[in-house]
């Protein structure tokens, strides 16, 4: 008998297999970190200093439409169109864990329990994200997610030693997380395009 | 066994219904790839499901390309849930 639960997750798994969520999400995270960091090496005029940040804001606003355009151009004609139902419950615990971590650190800063330059903060976030990646890898039986967790664990001590303040280290964390995620998404999309040749119309007439 | 919904119980149609339960809507090509059925076979099963009002089929165009969209109806959702309950009950008796 067909595994109904497994089949019900196929629409979401199909969209994930195209790599588009990782490409767009990863690029967004990378952009937020990179746009801020790059201003330190650009000329100190208004355009060079503010331009990259507004680029990140623009991408943040338009990323949904960009993702839809990629799906429409490369994914739907090859693998078919699907519109998901509301988010699976599994996404909530992960989002909740991230939110809880941010809230905890925010509260500790506000109470003054943590020095604003407290060095372990950024590596701690990397470890939390690693735990989330391992959990996702175990639950989804995904080797890439597990390897990403390993990468984040290796990144944690590197973030400790990066010069600069806490804000700079968070920017580097964003770059270090976003870039491999975007590259992973791009490779997945490329593989999807290669393995799913264009068909004719998707009507059964 | 008399309580088992024969429409949904057929393996291909069960697969179609299970796939649609995870999506708001899906097109013919997606169902074709995921079920591994032939075009004619899939059309036939979808027609059966539409006949019993478990799915609704919309034929439309997107950028001048014909598109066949399939959605599970509320009746179909209820029927699938009832089917699951019935089968779980039967399997527990084994």
């Amino acid at each position: 008998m067909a595994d109904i639960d497994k089949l019900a997750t196929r629409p979401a798994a199909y969209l994930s297999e195209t790599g588009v969520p990782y490409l767009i999400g990863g690029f967004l995270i990378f952009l937020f970190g990179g746009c801020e960091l790059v201003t330190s090496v650009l000329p100190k005029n208004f355009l060079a200093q503010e331009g990259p940040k507004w680029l990140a804001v623009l991408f943040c606003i338009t990323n949904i439409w960009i993702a839809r355009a990629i799906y429409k151009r490369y994914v739907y004609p090859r693998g078919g169109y699907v519109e998901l139902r509301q988010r699976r419950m599994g996404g909530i615990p992960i989002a909740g864990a991230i939110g809880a971590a941010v809230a905890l650190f925010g509260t500790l800063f506000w109470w003054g329990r943590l020095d604003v330059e407290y060095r372990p903060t950024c590596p701690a976030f990397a470890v939390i994200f690693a735990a989330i990646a391992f959990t996702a890898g175990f639950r989804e039986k995904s080797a890439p997610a597990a390897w990403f967790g390993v990468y984040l664990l290796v990144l944690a001590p590197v973030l400790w030693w990066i010069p600069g303040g806490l804000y700079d280290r968070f920017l580097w964390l964003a770059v270090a997380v976003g870039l491999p995620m975007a590259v992973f998404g791009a490779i997945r999309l490329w593989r999807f395009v290669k393995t799913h040749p264009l068909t004719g119309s998707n009507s059964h007439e | 066994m008399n309580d088992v919904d024969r429409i949904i119980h057929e393996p291909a149609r069960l697969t179609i219904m299970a796939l649609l339960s995870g999506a708001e809507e899906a097109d013919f090509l997606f169902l074709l790839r995921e079920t591994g059925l032939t075009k004619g076979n899939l059309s036939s099963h979808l027609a059966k499901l539409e006949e019993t009002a478990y799915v609704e089929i919309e034929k439309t165009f997107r950028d001048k390309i014909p598109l066949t969209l399939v959605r599970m109806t509320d009746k179909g959702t209820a029927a699938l849930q009832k089917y699951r309950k019935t089968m779980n009950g039967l399997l527990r008796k084994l």
Side-chain angles (χ1 to χ4, degrees):
Chain A
M1 199 173 88
D3 186 336
I4 297 175
D5 290 325
K6 196 171 178 187
L7 285 169
T9 63
R10 269 308 299 161
Y14 159 69
L15 292 178
S16 173
E17 283 160 10
T18 64
V20 175
Y22 300 101
L23 175 63
I24 298 296
F27 190 67
L28 185 65
I29 295 168
F30 166 75
L31 212 57
F32 268 108
C35 284
E36 192 68 46
L37 284 170
V38 84
T39 56
S40 62
V41 296
L42 289 177
K44 301 293 176 205
N45 59 58
F46 181 81
L47 190 63
Q49 293 298 304
E50 295 300 315
K53 294 172 198 174
W54 281 106
L55 186 69
V57 170
L58 184 67
F59 187 78
C60 187
I61 294 167
T62 59
N63 76 87
I64 291 172
W65 288 281
I66 292 171
R68 283 206 176 136
I70 295 174
Y71 278 127
K72 199 172 158 186
R73 174 86 171 80
Y74 296 104
V75 174
Y76 296 155
R78 290 178 162 78
Y81 162 78
V82 67
E83 188 77 39
L84 294 181
R85 285 186 192 274
Q86 291 168 9
R87 282 187 185 276
R88 290 183 296 150
M89 287 301 291
I92 293 176
I94 290 176
I98 294 172
V102 170
L104 173 66
F105 278 98
T107 306
L108 288 169
F109 279 130
W110 184 65
W111 276 345
R113 293 283 188 268
L114 281 180
D115 187 332
V116 73
E117 293 300 328
Y118 191 57
R119 221 163 175 93
T121 305
C122 209
F125 266 94
V127 170
I128 290 168
F129 292 150
I132 292 168
F134 283 132
T135 307
F138 177 74
R139 206 178 61 211
E140 308 289 331
K141 294 183 178 48
S142 163
W147 279 113
F148 193 61
V150 171
Y151 163 75
L152 288 168
L153 281 180
V154 169
L155 185 67
V158 173
L159 288 168
W160 180 287
W161 295 112
I162 282 179
L166 178 65
Y167 184 61
D168 292 323
R169 288 196 286 278
F170 265 112
L171 294 177
W172 280 111
L173 175 63
V175 167
V177 166
L179 186 59
M181 213 166 121
V183 168
F184 173 73
I187 291 171
R188 262 203 171 174
L189 181 60
W190 178 78
R191 270 201 203 142
F192 176 85
V193 168
K194 284 281 178 193
T195 54
H196 290 71
L198 279 168
T199 62
S201 95
N202 49 16
S203 164
H204 64 303
E205 288 189 26
Chain B
M1 281 299 289
N2 288 336
D3 293 333
V4 174
D5 188 330
R6 303 280 173 183
I7 302 294
I8 293 180
H9 190 57
E10 204 286 330
R13 290 196 286 268
L14 177 59
T15 303
I16 293 167
M17 293 291 282
L19 287 167
L20 289 174
S21 70
E24 191 64 43
E25 61 185 12
D27 77 349
F28 189 81
L29 177 60
F30 173 77
L31 292 173
L32 193 68
R33 285 194 172 274
E34 292 294 323
T35 58
L37 297 169
T38 62
K39 271 192 176 183
N41 219 350
L42 177 59
S43 292
S44 159
H45 287 301
L46 284 175
K48 190 77 184 174
L49 288 169
E50 192 184 25
E51 204 178 282
T52 48
Y54 285 172
V55 303
E56 57 188 24
I57 297 175
E58 181 192 343
K59 290 176 190 172
T60 183
F61 286 88
R62 259 194 205 145
D63 297 332
K64 296 176 188 172
I65 297 169
L67 186 68
T68 301
L69 294 173
V70 187
R71 289 175 211 99
M72 199 153 71
T73 60
D74 292 339
K75 185 181 175 189
T77 305
L80 184 64
Q81 280 170 0
K82 188 180 173 199
Y83 174 82
R84 287 179 74 145
K85 255 187 180 171
T86 307
M87 290 306 291
N88 285 337
L90 282 171
L91 290 168
R92 255 185 256 116
K93 286 180 187 171
L94 288 174

